[in-house]
Amino acid sequence: MATKVSGDGKKPTSVATNLIAGGGAGMMEALVCHPLDTIKVRMQLSRRGRQPGMAKRGFIRTGVEIVKKETPLGLYKGLGAVLTGIVPKMAIRFTSFEWYKQLLANKETHVVSGQALFFAGLAAGVTEAVAVVTPMEVIKIRLQAQYHSMADPLDIPKYRNAAHALYTVVKEEGFGALYRGVSLTALRQGSNQAVNFTAYTYFKKWLNEYQPQYEGVNLPSYQTTLIGLVSGAMGPLSNAPIDTIKTRLQKTPAEPGTSALQRIARIAGDMFKQEGFHAFYKGITPRIMRVAPGQAVTFTVYEYLKEKLEKSGPSVLTGSRYEE
């Protein structure tokens, strides 16, 4: 089974379309799902389980405690960093995926195989991780890790907002601190998007084959939402340990004389010895609850906005021939 590239007069998704449609989809996803990401980060940073008899906290209890101690706004800590990076992130994700797909297509038949789809998604994930996601994650996690109350003006945190966190991290730790955990972030994003785009593309193809009346037009929104939900859940299940180690690595400053690889090995070793194997899957429930609906929202809004832009947008939003 493959995805054909070129041939039916269908126009490609341009950079401008990806910027607007991808950015709009990403902003909607962030606003809807960010509280679950904050709960996930807090669970991953929690050291509960180290001492016998210490009660473990589930995602509901973690969320309730954040709201009680820090007000509901505490669930949106780090949102500024996410919204700042979400437009370029989504533009890079969708644009680079389309570019890598064409690059990996068979030069004679113009067919994209399943393997090529997987590697195009992998490359797109790595590209967005290096260009945008890693610095955004470092700032977001620093903000989310703060336990101050949003209701108390006298409870002043170290990082006041995304811009202040960026300034403080660079000033105190150097520009390189923004790329702490870049290898793990690239591995996480790459595996996420490899699985996500491959599954979504095949699900979409199968639905189009089963429902020929939708050939050449968008599937109904509920179907796009459903296949986005399923494809979005597959990535977190495959790389949860990578995400947990990455979160702990990015939360703390670098240690002089210790390489990133040594810190990663030590974090993983300490987690296993002190908290057990299950520690690598801390936050998996809110992560799936955040990523799966997030991808459902992203693909649904993206497909909707892309269709509207390509139908009514100016010529700058269109380009050469391209067929999925």
Side-chain angles (χ1 to χ4, degrees):
M1 192 177 293
T3 300
K4 189 179 177 186
V5 183
S6 88
D8 73 344
K10 201 173 178 180
K11 294 174 181 177
T13 307
S14 70
V15 175
T17 299
N18 280 322
L19 179 66
I20 299 169
M27 288 178 70
M28 183 65 70
E29 180 234 9
L31 290 169
V32 171
C33 302
H34 190 77
L36 289 167
D37 187 70
T38 300
I39 295 170
K40 178 211 76 168
V41 168
R42 289 291 180 86
M43 290 179 71
Q44 289 177 332
L45 294 175
S46 171
R47 297 302 197 267
R48 283 174 177 261
R50 286 188 171 191
Q51 298 174 7
M54 183 178 281
K56 295 181 176 67
R57 254 194 326 232
F59 78 97
I60 293 177
R61 188 173 168 191
T62 300
V64 169
E65 288 189 6
I66 292 173
V67 172
K68 276 185 183 177
K69 296 176 182 177
E70 307 166 44
T71 78
L73 289 175
L75 293 170
Y76 283 91
K77 286 179 178 177
L79 180 62
V82 174
L83 291 177
T84 301
I86 203 75
V87 172
K89 170 186 169 181
M90 289 300 180
I92 289 168
R93 175 182 296 178
F94 285 103
T95 303
S96 63
F97 175 66
E98 295 296 334
W99 187 80
Y100 288 127
K101 259 200 331 189
Q102 294 182 66
L103 185 69
L104 295 170
N106 185 289
K107 297 299 182 287
E108 295 179 358
T109 63
H110 304 293
V111 166
V112 180
S113 66
Q115 185 180 28
L117 269 178
F118 183 87
F119 282 110
L122 180 70
V126 171
T127 302
E128 73 177 23
V130 174
V132 179
V133 177
T134 304
M136 183 180 77
E137 288 269 301
V138 170
I139 300 304
K140 174 182 73 71
I141 289 169
R142 295 295 179 92
L143 290 164
Q144 288 174 322
Q146 298 183 131
Y147 287 78
H148 66 290
S149 171
M150 303 287 283
D152 185 358
L154 298 178
D155 190 359
I156 302 173
K158 179 177 181 179
Y159 307 116
R160 294 193 293 272
N161 50 51
H164 181 252
L166 174 64
Y167 171 78
T168 305
V169 169
V170 173
K171 181 183 177 183
E172 294 182 353
E173 304 170 44
F175 184 79
L178 296 176
Y179 279 88
R180 186 162 300 132
V182 64
S183 58
L184 292 177
T185 305
L187 189 58
R188 184 197 68 175
Q189 293 300 114
S191 56
N192 266 353
Q193 300 317 316
V195 172
N196 190 24
F197 275 118
T198 304
Y200 180 82
T201 301
Y202 275 117
F203 287 150
K204 185 178 175 183
K205 180 179 176 65
W206 292 333
L207 285 173
N208 277 324
E209 289 176 349
Y210 183 71
Q211 303 167 112
Q213 68 268 32
Y214 294 119
E215 184 67 35
V217 298
N218 276 357
L219 291 168
S221 293
Y222 78 90
Q223 293 185 15
T224 305
T225 300
L226 181 62
I227 62 177
L229 187 75
V230 175
S231 64
M234 298 169 88
L237 290 170
S238 67
N239 59 25
I242 295 169
D243 188 57
T244 304
I245 296 170
K246 177 201 72 71
T247 297
R248 295 201 179 188
L249 180 70
Q250 291 178 325
K251 190 251 180 184
T252 54
E255 299 171 12
T258 306
S259 69
L261 189 58
Q262 289 173 320
R263 291 187 68 208
I264 290 169
R266 194 177 70 220
I267 289 170
D270 287 347
M271 284 174 63
F272 183 74
K273 282 189 251 180
Q274 298 175 13
E275 302 169 61
F277 182 74
H278 76 278
F280 292 99
Y281 286 86
K282 280 186 175 180
I284 186 64
T285 302
R287 186 174 175 225
I288 291 175
M289 288 179 67
R290 186 246 183 275
V291 174
Q295 290 305 313
V297 170
T298 297
F299 278 122
T300 303
V301 176
Y302 174 80
E303 296 280 11
Y304 173 80
L305 291 177
K306 185 179 78 167
E307 182 182 46
K308 294 297 180 185
L309 288 166
E310 290 178 342
K311 281 183 178 178
S312 60
S315 58
V316 70
L317 297 179
T318 61
S320 58
R321 295 161 65 89
Y322 185 80
E323 177 194 352
E324 270 191 21

